[in-house]
Each structure stands twice: as structure tokens, then as C-alpha cells.
Amino acid sequence: MNKIKILFFYFFCIQIAVNAQDYPQGYFRSPLDIPIFLSGNFGEIRSNHFHAGLDMKTESVEGKNIYAVADGYVSRIKIGQGGYGKALYVTHPNGYTSVYAHLQSYEGEIGEYVLKAQYKKESYEIELFPGKNALLITKGDVIALSGNSGGSGGPHLHFELRETDTETPVNPLLFGFDIKDDIKPTIKKIGIYPVPGKGSANGSDNPKLIELSGGNGVYKLGTLKMSGQIAMGLEVLDKLNGSSNRCGVYSIEL
Ligand SMILES: [Zn+2]
């Protein structure tokens, strides 16, 4: 925008840049047997990080069955006082690892395996890498019960899908889970940040936070005279059907 004077009549369109065709659809089942409602989504801004998974609501209680989303093996078990609390990692043959966190307990063979290791180490906190053949999992096995362990502000399941090789988290919403969301995100404010000495908005390089009018995907900013180098920011929240929680947006295009 350098050296261009622009008279703005802005409207914005925000959407999730989904390339779902790049990801296996329907390979993973739900980790729950209740409808999925989210209290947090992928990429949401947290105080010191971006949220790496989905927070699935568990009807405000602990003890819901947690199911293996696909065949695989338990590749990691980590129990800590903070963080993910009781966490379980299942590696699948298609290149992804599913992560289940803030659990109340581990079920069946996994539970016995953990208890044995805790006694052996004489420690509650533990980290285990059982290996490919120790704890084999079939899609739909109950592997744990949901909880509120670790740094969790209420009962829920924190669920992630990671690329196994790189441990890079991927947006689970790209894998075709049945989560209803036809409510458009809401843009609250736009921030206009002229680069000091190099840009200006309405004649100054002071940052401006402007409340937007409009809704349902169409917003008006009014008239703003800008020149030079300008950075912009948006304050956006996204609600999903059936839940009052404020989630974040995964990506923004302007
Ligand atoms: Zn979470």
C-alpha cells in the first residue's frame, strides 16, 4: 500500500480456509459417544500460546467414555500435576497420532500398565513410551475416562491430532468430525496500525481501534483515509451451534 491513497469502503469476509480434501475424511471416529460441542477450537489465542486442539465439552462432568478414534498403539502416556494432566497418545498407521488430555483415568490394560509403572518408579508423575507392540488399540476401544486433570478449568476432553513424524498439530476439524457450525464469526473491532513515520491514517500515525458495525458476515468500517505502510488487526470471535462458548477463528482472509 506504499504511497497509495485509498478511500476505504470496507467489508470483510471471513472464512475457514479448509482444504479438507488434503486430509482423510471419516477415518477417525469421535472420541466421545455424546454429541460434540466445543468450548475451544484449534488455533485459538491463549495467554501464551495458540490452542493446539479441540476442547470437547463433557456435559460438565467427568467420567465420560473416551474412545480410540482409530486403530493403533499407545505410543506415549504422560501424567503431570499441571499441563495436560493425565494424557494419552495413540499412534495410527495413517501417519497421525491422536492425543487425549485432562483425563480422569486410563481404562483396562492401559490402566494396569500405568499403575505398574507408577509403583515401580514410586511416582505419580510419569512419562512412558510403551512402543509399537505393548498396548495395541482397536478403533472404538474405551481407552480412558474423561476428566479435569492438569491445567484444566473444568471437565472436558482436550483432543488433538498430530502428524506422527513431526508432532505438528493439525486442525481436527479438517478430518470431517460431526460438529455443527453454520454461525458466522463476529468481528468486534479492527485495529489500524500505521507504521510510525511511514504511514498514516486520518492524518496521524497513532494506532486506531475501531468498533465495526454490521454482522452476519458483512461489516462496515466507514471512511478512512490511509496512506503509506499500515498494519491491521482484527478482534474476532466465533460461536458454534449449541454452545455459548467463544471460540477463535482458524484463519482470516482479507
Ligand atoms: Zn484444550
Side-chain angles (χ1 to χ4, degrees):
M1 292 207 292
N2 205 11
K3 291 180 183 168
I4 302 171
K5 263 194 183 170
I6 308 167
L7 201 62
F8 276 91
F9 288 97
Y10 254 117
F11 64 93
F12 296 93
C13 174
I14 287 193
Q15 61 186 39
I16 292 179
V18 184
N19 295 310
Q21 68 275 13
D22 298 341
Y23 300 91
Q25 301 299 296
Y27 183 94
F28 297 114
R29 57 153 285 160
S30 169
L32 298 170
D33 58 11
I34 52 175
I36 304 176
F37 293 109
L38 302 183
S39 57
N41 59 359
F42 184 85
E44 208 172 282
I45 300 169
R46 298 292 167 88
S47 55
N48 59 356
H49 65 282
F50 293 103
H51 191 235
L54 301 179
D55 287 341
M56 297 184 173
K57 297 171 78 146
T58 53
E59 299 176 342
S60 303
V61 295
E62 299 185 30
K64 296 287 181 191
N65 284 341
I66 302 297
Y67 299 88
V69 293
D71 290 356
Y73 65 93
V74 174
S75 51
R76 186 181 175 197
I77 296 164
K78 189 170 186 204
I79 301 179
Q81 296 287 353
Y84 282 5
K86 290 183 177 171
L88 183 67
Y89 298 67
V90 178
T91 294
H92 308 287
N94 69 340
Y96 291 95
T97 295
S98 53
V99 183
Y100 315 78
H102 307 306
L103 301 170
Q104 181 189 66
S105 62
Y106 302 99
E107 285 296 279
E109 242 188 301
I110 306 169
E112 290 164 21
Y113 187 92
V114 169
L115 198 62
K116 227 182 190 175
Q118 282 178 316
Y119 273 115
K120 197 174 169 196
K121 201 189 162 202
E122 297 182 9
S123 165
Y124 171 77
E125 297 201 326
I126 205 160
E127 184 168 22
L128 305 166
F129 299 91
K132 276 186 177 164
N133 302 312
L135 295 166
L136 296 175
I137 298 295
T138 301
K139 183 175 185 173
D141 282 352
V142 177
I143 48 178
L145 296 180
S146 70
N148 189 29
S149 60
S152 172
H156 74 283
L157 170 68
H158 173 95
F159 175 73
E160 291 178 23
L161 288 173
R162 297 184 184 178
E163 291 173 4
T164 301
D165 287 348
T166 61
E167 292 192 71
T168 305
V170 183
N171 187 353
L173 291 180
L174 298 174
F175 292 78
F177 288 100
D178 185 16
I179 300 171
K180 192 161 160 40
D181 177 21
D182 57 16
I183 302 171
K184 292 191 166 90
T186 305
I187 309 175
K188 310 289 282 181
K189 287 177 193 161
I190 183 169
I192 307 286
Y193 306 94
V195 178
K198 292 182 178 171
S200 76
N202 285 352
S204 94
D205 61 8
N206 294 332
K208 293 173 178 54
L209 280 179
I210 303 166
E211 305 252 3
L212 295 174
S213 63
N216 200 27
V218 181
Y219 294 84
K220 277 189 175 168
L221 172 59
T223 308
L224 195 62
K225 249 184 177 169
M226 300 196 288
S227 63
Q229 295 179 18
I230 313 268
M232 292 186 195
L234 288 176
E235 185 184 330
V236 185
L237 62 90
D238 191 20
K239 288 189 176 180
L240 283 74
N241 301 56
S243 162
S244 62
N245 298 79
R246 296 165 160 218
C247 290
V249 290
Y250 173 56
S251 73
I252 295 175
E253 290 177 17
L254 170 64

